[in-house]
Amino acid sequence: MTAALPTRRVTVGGVTFAADLPFVFVSGPCQIESRDHSLRLAEHLAAATRTAGVPFVFKASYDKANRTSGLGQRGIGLDEGLRILGDVRDAFGCPVLTDVHAVDQVAAVADVVDILQIPAFLCRQTDLLLAAGRSGRVINVKKGQFLAPWDMTAVAAKIESTGNTGIVLCDRGASFGYNTLVSDMRALPIMARTGYPVMFDATHSVQAPGGLGDSSGGDRSFAPVLARAAVAAGVAAVFAEAHDDPANAPSDGAIMLPLEWIAPLLAKLVAIDAVVKG
């Protein structure tokens, strides 16, 4: 492995991702369900992070293009989804993040959204990475479950080639046999050797991909455990999807955190972060 590069700070909308600063909390529902629902969740999350003193980014997807089944609910769609994300940012003053799945989505999404997220399954799609980089927006790239952490150096280099160094690298576990993921905490400092801030996705790391046959399962009870471990490893950000009624969510209900879990989790993470970062 190569030695660590100088740590970069990536700032967007008043929020800074950096290994030597307090962690950023990225949260929201798996997919956008409605304007009212998104605003209600964002209000709760913004209040919880404000109380905890944690920088906040709202996350929700207008389209979940990699559903296990073709019958799975995918989301509200590009146009309406972007309008809602814009409303959330205007209402709460927080940056907003969403996935892009195709080159022809990038320009429209970049006009509205602060952070473009490259899904794990698409992290090696060169044309998508280049288009995202050229947008000038901050790019959060999820490490594919099939990649080694050191492989993310080449992923970041593709975006860098566009002149964009507003890059965050995100770990969401690694494939471990069938329908199972495992989190290797060594991946976090290894990815940090790129010099870019590293985020840990606590909820997708406890997913069982395709584990329910026609949808993914998982066990949300382990997400706080992994989040605590990741903060102890010194990450720049924690990603955890949240929902007011996970049991009836259209996707990822098994892994999203109930809203009442957020404030206690943040309190523990802040305490760990303060010890680790001094």
Side-chain angles (χ1 to χ4, degrees), residues 169-262:
L169 303 178
C170 181
D171 186 70
R172 56 147 302 166
S175 296
F176 187 73
Y178 297 125
N179 305 123
T180 305
L181 299 175
V182 65
S183 290
D184 179 0
M185 291 297 159
R186 296 175 303 174
L188 303 175
I190 290 171
M191 289 165 61
R193 291 173 184 167
T194 62
Y196 288 108
V198 173
M199 181 188 305
F200 179 71
D201 182 344
T203 46
H204 286 97
S205 291
V206 299
Q207 189 182 63
L212 300 180
D214 60 355
S215 63
S216 293
D219 186 345
R220 73 172 63 86
S221 69
F222 290 112
V225 178
L226 294 181
R228 294 195 298 268
V231 171
V235 291
V238 173
F239 180 116
E241 289 183 337
H243 201 276
D244 55 341
D245 185 14
N248 293 300
S251 57
D252 277 353
I255 63 171
M256 284 193 286
L257 305 185
L259 291 182
E260 60 267 24
W261 289 22
I262 299 300

Side-chain angles (χ1 to χ4, degrees), residues 72-83:
Q73 295 186 55
R74 289 182 52 167
I76 204 164
L78 177 66
D79 293 339
E80 182 63 14
L82 292 179
R83 279 192 289 270

Side-chain angles (χ1 to χ4, degrees), residues 1-2 5 147-160 169 190-191 193-194 196:
M1 299 303 158
T2 59
L5 298 174
L147 288 186
W150 45 86
D151 292 335
M152 291 299 283
T153 301
V155 172
K158 292 180 183 181
I159 300 172
E160 279 182 340
L169 303 178
I190 290 171
M191 289 165 61
R193 291 173 184 167
T194 62
Y196 288 108

Side-chain angles (χ1 to χ4, degrees), residues 103 118 122-134 154-155 157-159 161-162:
V103 170
I118 307 298
L122 299 177
C123 70
R124 290 186 61 174
Q125 296 298 311
T126 301
D127 290 343
L128 181 58
L129 291 169
L130 295 178
R134 293 185 187 114
V155 172
K158 292 180 183 181
I159 300 172
S161 73
T162 69

Side-chain angles (χ1 to χ4, degrees), residues 11-45:
T11 300
V12 56
V15 169
T16 299
F17 295 83
D20 59 347
L21 292 177
F23 73 91
V24 176
F25 191 60
V26 180
S27 187
C30 177
Q31 59 178 260
I32 300 170
E33 299 174 32
S34 70
R35 181 179 184 275
D36 287 346
H37 185 256
S38 294
L39 289 170
R40 187 166 68 252
L41 265 62
E43 181 178 24
H44 183 100
L45 294 166

